[in-house]
Amino acid sequence: MNVKPLTGKLKKMKNLVIAFCALFTVAVSAQQTPASIKKSFTIMNATAHIGNGEVIENSVIIVDKGVITAVADARVVRIDPVGEVIEASGMHVYPGIIAMNSTLGLVEVDAVKASVDQREIGVYNPHIRSIIAYNAESRVVESMRPNGVLIAQVVPRGGRISGQSSVVQLDAWNWEDAVISMDEGIHINWPSSFSRSGSWYNPGPIEPNKKYDENIIELQDFFNDAVAHNMTQDNESNLKFEAMREELNGNGRFYFHVNGEKSIRDVVTFIKKNNIKKPVLVGAQGAQNVTDLLKQNNIPVLAGRVHDLPAREDSDYDMPYKFPYLLAKAGVTVALENSGDMERHQTRNFPFYAGTVAGYGMDKEQALKMITLTPAQILGIDKKYGSLEEGKSATLFISKGDALDMRGNQLTRAFIDGRDISLNSHQTELYERYMKKFGKKPQRTNQ
């Protein structure tokens, strides 16, 4: 058999393929191997921030086979340690932070279209499941853990109804291993009551959205059709309508992404009209003016990104910082979320968002609750996650200092379901590399 020699062009193509494969191999090998063994261990003498507002100085926390079996004051209660004894005197232990309304694992590089999988074409997509697209090996996901973000709600974007979100833990081989709560809610992007012409760099005047009422009627018609379809036993299959069955029956949540006082009032009217049992507002700028309405209807809020600019020209300059406190002070259930520019990478700042809220009126332990127990309660996973309590999952981390402060957040150990996870990432590798370059010893102890 005669084989023709490769031409120069083919040789060049072959070399590119080889280089790409080598690069891919390096990238894959850089991923941290998920921990597999549920350890038994005892954390001694740390300040335990329970997540429900309580603090225990000089605590003892015992974990057996991935479950917290005891949390007590070591000065009051004598408990024999179990497994590895972790001496954490002068340190702090926290429940794993929960990142709400996140697109972690759905996009790797914004500029590379093939790695962007956060939305589908179409306007009404309640059947789209974000969990199927979740990439557990994302290097962005990996970089969340060193700041204590161990759980995330993965949410699709786009359209009037984006699809279904799921809850994952951030140390897994694949999405099947990662999932904590699958398809737990449907996300609706409420139409804006105003529109703006022009561009981002030269915006035009704000004007009323002439199609606002039309958009709401269209959404209501879709709900009516979904209810009618799911009430009928013998009919043709409709994937979109059937995907809403659990939420319409009150077993799942509807998340309304909405901003503006008028729009929020209209959402509440829509919720009551459709007898929605588990509504949640996301973003909710302007909600500080309708807190009584939200409290009366028991509607929780995922407050928009704390480190942001005011939404309106006439808003207080510090409104994003104090917004969660204003809602909580009025009796509204509040957790924090992070959607916006560079949202996947900014997810690592969740503990610092809570720290900023604490600097603008909120008690620090209540601010911590906004990123731990309250999100768990909203997601319906609080029986297992969200706080350091007996019988719950040992999903927690140990920090040298105050985890809500950028200066104090220095993790030494972190566990998910009792598994001792790696805190290394490409960022920590670069840190160590350049510390060595300048002849300095890296100052971190995590592995």
Side-chain angles (χ1 to χ4, degrees), residues 254-367:
F254 279 110
Y255 294 88
F256 291 88
H257 297 243
V258 59
N259 289 303
E261 183 178 339
K262 171 178 168 50
S263 295
I264 292 172
R265 290 183 182 277
D266 290 340
V267 166
V268 174
T269 300
F270 184 89
I271 289 169
K272 294 167 71 174
K273 180 178 180 180
N274 291 279
N275 195 28
I276 294 174
K277 302 296 185 184
K278 296 181 179 179
V280 182
L281 301 190
V282 182
Q285 295 169 352
Q288 71 274 12
N289 299 320
V290 291
T291 52
D292 289 343
L293 182 65
L294 299 178
K295 183 179 178 181
Q296 290 168 7
N297 291 278
N298 194 29
I299 302 176
V301 172
L302 303 184
R305 183 185 292 179
V306 174
H307 294 174
D308 205 352
L309 296 173
R312 295 166 54 99
E313 293 180 356
D314 58 351
S315 294
D316 294 345
Y317 75 93
D318 56 357
M319 179 55 70
Y321 310 149
K322 64 184 180 182
F323 176 59
Y325 169 66
L326 295 177
L327 298 184
K329 183 180 179 181
V332 178
T333 300
V334 186
L336 305 184
E337 64 102 6
N338 177 55
S339 58
D341 294 337
M342 298 291 291
E343 63 181 69
R344 285 162 294 283
H345 305 82
Q346 295 284 6
T347 300
R348 75 188 68 169
N349 289 327
F350 257 88
F352 312 136
Y353 295 156
T356 298
V357 174
Y360 281 79
M362 179 67 70
D363 173 80
K364 180 164 285 190
E365 299 307 315
Q366 293 300 316

Side-chain angles (χ1 to χ4, degrees), residues 34-284:
S36 58
I37 301 174
K38 293 186 176 181
K39 300 184 67 174
S40 294
F41 57 92
T42 303
I43 303 174
M44 295 293 301
N45 302 316
T47 299
H49 302 263
I50 305 302
N52 59 4
E54 299 178 9
V55 178
I56 300 177
E57 303 283 351
N58 295 104
S59 65
V60 54
I61 300 174
I62 295 181
V63 174
D64 188 26
K65 297 178 181 178
V67 177
I68 298 173
T69 58
V71 180
D73 190 330
R75 298 170 298 183
V76 177
V77 180
R78 173 71 180 179
I79 301 177
D80 293 330
V82 173
E84 178 190 359
V85 176
I86 302 173
E87 175 55 50
S89 179
M91 299 186 186
H92 301 257
V93 58
Y94 297 85
I97 292 167
I98 302 174
M100 298 292 283
N101 188 31
S102 166
T103 52
L104 280 175
L106 300 183
V107 179
E108 193 67 7
V109 182
D110 292 86
V112 180
K113 188 175 181 181
S115 75
V116 178
D117 203 6
Q118 66 179 346
R119 67 181 64 205
E120 292 289 345
I121 60 173
V123 179
Y124 290 89
N125 292 316
H127 59 302
I128 295 301
R129 306 170 65 215
S130 63
I131 190 65
I132 300 299
Y134 177 71
N135 176 20
E137 293 188 333
S138 167
R139 299 188 76 176
V140 182
V141 169
E142 182 180 87
S143 65
M144 299 300 112
R145 302 194 301 254
N147 274 12
V149 180
L150 306 182
I151 297 174
Q153 179 195 34
V154 181
V155 179
R157 298 283 189 247
R160 182 67 64 223
I161 299 182
S162 303
Q164 303 178 37
S165 59
S166 292
V167 185
V168 298
Q169 52 86 3
L170 303 186
D171 183 61
W173 289 98
N174 49 48
W175 70 261
E176 290 97 335
D177 291 337
V179 69
I180 292 174
S181 179
M182 189 178 296
D183 304 333
E184 52 80 30
I186 290 176
H187 292 255
I188 299 172
N189 298 301
W190 192 258
S192 176
S193 60
F194 62 89
S195 62
R196 185 194 291 271
S197 59
S199 60
W200 65 269
Y201 58 86
N202 185 26
I206 296 176
E207 300 176 349
N209 179 6
K210 297 179 181 179
K211 293 188 176 182
Y212 179 70
D213 292 336
E214 178 184 331
N215 295 152
I216 294 176
I217 291 172
E218 186 181 75
L219 178 61
Q220 182 61 65
D221 288 343
F222 188 86
F223 262 72
N224 292 342
D225 291 343
V227 170
H229 177 87
N230 288 309
M231 288 178 63
T232 305
Q233 298 297 323
D234 298 323
N235 53 15
E236 294 183 3
S237 176
N238 186 304
L239 190 60
K240 293 186 177 184
F241 294 156
E242 289 163 12
M244 298 175 64
R245 180 176 288 122
E246 291 299 310
E247 286 73 19
L248 292 173
N249 290 339
N251 298 321
R253 283 156 288 280
F254 279 110
Y255 294 88
F256 291 88
H257 297 243
V258 59
N259 289 303
E261 183 178 339
K262 171 178 168 50
S263 295
I264 292 172
R265 290 183 182 277
D266 290 340
V267 166
V268 174
T269 300
F270 184 89
I271 289 169
K272 294 167 71 174
K273 180 178 180 180
N274 291 279
N275 195 28
I276 294 174
K277 302 296 185 184
K278 296 181 179 179
V280 182
L281 301 190
V282 182

